[in-house]
Amino acid sequence: MNYHHIYHAGNFADISKHIILILCLEKLHEKPTSFLAIDTHAGIAKYDLGDEKSLKTNEFIGREIFAKIQDYLPERYLKILAKINRCEMENLIENFNYYCGSPYIIRDYLRRDDRAIFAELNRLEYVQLKKVFAGSDQFSIVSEDGFGLLKSKLPPLQKRALVLIDPAFEKDQSTISADYEKIILALKEGYKRFENGIYLVWHPIIESDEAVLKNFYKEISALKFEKKTHVIFDVGSKDDGKMHACGMFIFNAPWQIEEKLEKIFSRILPILKQSDQAFFSLSS
């Protein structure tokens, strides 16, 4: 695989995805019972925003824009970003040189009896991930296809689980990414083995893939999960061929999370939007 998330670290899609992830983790923290977290496509967890790859695409929303939205973001999110940038929360903006990946966020929420599994198939990124996360027995870092973890690691011993599925959606030599079908198959395994888990599925929204998404949504709707929530976040830009919208499916969304998402996204969208076509939606 040639995909490297450093090209997109800290963009609007990362921020919307991580808001949802954090709100779900906070709900898990409301009960003392332990949980298992699985990140099927972990990446390297820590991204240098000054790296030439990040600067090449220039997708990070930037310090100035982040400063405008930070008052509406979950406090724990800001604390995690301050931690990865080795500064106090009130000094984050001037020290904002690194962005956190999902594993870094998940790790921050692990209590004594909680566990996590981070899968990364790209060999180089797997090695980098292990360097970032050396020296803890609370999580396992595996170099394998993360989709298979829903079959091999569920049901969890902890009786509660959160699974984040966030693949690269690379097409390679095909016209359609194989990840769409892999997601459906993995979710079927997840439902069969642990239907009450929280499953988060991120996906890009690109005009050229409209037919693919229509079929993907149809297959999602046919899954047996009792509660499905779909979040769409669109900043409205159609310039330079860059992605301007993304979605996140939440299966078994925790109680009241929709209200919290509505409150946060309604406040940050006017700041992040790049045209009047910008919008966000929540549907069940």
Side-chain angles (χ1 to χ4, degrees):
M1 293 177 62
N2 298 316
Y3 174 88
H4 295 285
H5 190 68
I6 184 65
Y7 288 107
H8 315 290
N11 66 4
F12 78 92
D14 255 0
I15 290 168
S16 60
K17 172 177 62 182
H18 290 152
I19 289 171
I20 295 170
L21 174 62
I22 284 171
L23 293 182
C24 289
L25 287 166
E26 288 183 348
K27 293 300 289 187
L28 287 173
H29 263 217
E30 290 182 1
K31 295 182 179 179
T33 51
S34 60
F35 65 86
L36 170 69
I38 296 175
D39 191 337
T40 62
H41 298 77
I44 63 174
K46 182 178 181 179
Y47 298 95
D48 182 355
L49 297 171
D51 185 281
E52 61 179 11
K53 297 182 182 68
S54 178
L55 296 174
K56 180 179 180 179
T57 54
N58 196 34
E59 289 193 18
F60 171 48
I61 66 167
R63 295 179 179 180
E64 182 178 345
I65 298 298
F66 197 92
K68 293 179 180 179
I69 68 171
Q70 65 176 343
D71 288 344
Y72 308 124
L73 301 175
E75 183 177 359
R76 186 71 169 264
Y77 186 17
L78 301 176
K79 287 182 177 178
I80 293 169
L81 286 169
K83 185 182 297 184
I84 204 170
N85 283 285
R86 297 175 179 252
C87 66
E88 298 298 322
M89 196 167 67
E90 58 267 25
N91 304 126
L92 173 60
I93 300 304
E94 57 263 39
N95 293 282
F96 207 146
N97 300 309
Y98 292 91
Y99 188 77
C100 55
S102 301
Y104 201 97
I105 292 172
I106 291 170
R107 184 183 68 166
D108 199 75
Y109 278 88
L110 297 181
R111 301 163 298 187
R112 186 182 64 180
D113 296 325
D114 300 327
R115 295 292 181 269
I117 304 171
F118 304 131
E120 180 50 57
L121 195 56
N122 182 289
R123 185 63 188 174
L124 178 60
E125 298 208 341
Y126 168 73
V127 172
Q128 290 179 277
L129 182 64
K130 291 201 74 171
K131 287 181 180 178
V132 174
F133 282 170
S136 176
D137 59 358
Q138 279 194 291
F139 45 81
S140 302
I141 300 172
V142 297
S143 179
E144 61 183 81
D145 186 350
F147 288 116
L149 295 178
L150 280 74
K151 183 176 182 179
S152 63
K153 300 301 181 182
L154 298 178
L157 296 175
Q158 293 82 2
K159 308 301 182 185
R160 297 198 299 159
L162 179 147
V163 179
L164 173 62
I165 303 175
D166 177 24
F169 291 97
E170 283 194 310
K171 296 180 181 180
D172 296 321
Q173 301 301 314
S174 304
T175 56
I176 300 173
S177 171
D179 286 337
Y180 290 104
E181 187 58 30
K182 289 180 179 179
I183 287 171
I184 299 300
L185 293 174
L187 288 171
K188 287 179 178 178
E189 286 288 351
Y191 180 85
K192 180 169 65 177
R193 296 170 187 279
F194 194 61
E195 64 181 86
N196 295 321
I198 300 171
Y199 297 87
L200 306 179
V201 179
W202 182 90
H203 69 88
I205 298 176
I206 303 171
E207 280 80 4
S208 60
D209 289 343
E210 184 176 352
V212 176
L213 283 176
K214 184 177 180 180
N215 184 65
F216 181 55
Y217 294 165
K218 182 179 179 180
E219 292 191 81
I220 287 286
S221 66
L223 294 172
K224 295 181 180 180
F225 290 97
E226 184 176 346
K227 187 176 182 183
K228 309 182 189 81
T229 302
H230 192 200
V231 182
I232 293 178
F233 194 75
D234 189 332
V235 295
S237 172
K238 294 179 174 58
D239 296 333
D240 303 322
K242 291 183 179 180
M243 179 184 69
H244 60 84
C246 64
M248 178 81 93
F249 284 100
I250 312 172
F251 300 88
N252 300 323
W255 185 56
Q256 292 186 328
I257 194 172
E258 289 93 344
E259 291 88 341
K260 292 180 180 179
L261 289 173
E262 179 88 29
K263 183 177 181 180
I264 294 172
F265 285 163
S266 65
R267 292 177 174 178
I268 69 172
L269 183 63
I271 300 170
L272 294 177
K273 73 175 185 178
Q274 298 180 22
S275 79
D276 290 338
Q277 283 72 49
F279 75 94
F280 81 93
S281 64
L282 287 164
S283 58
S284 300

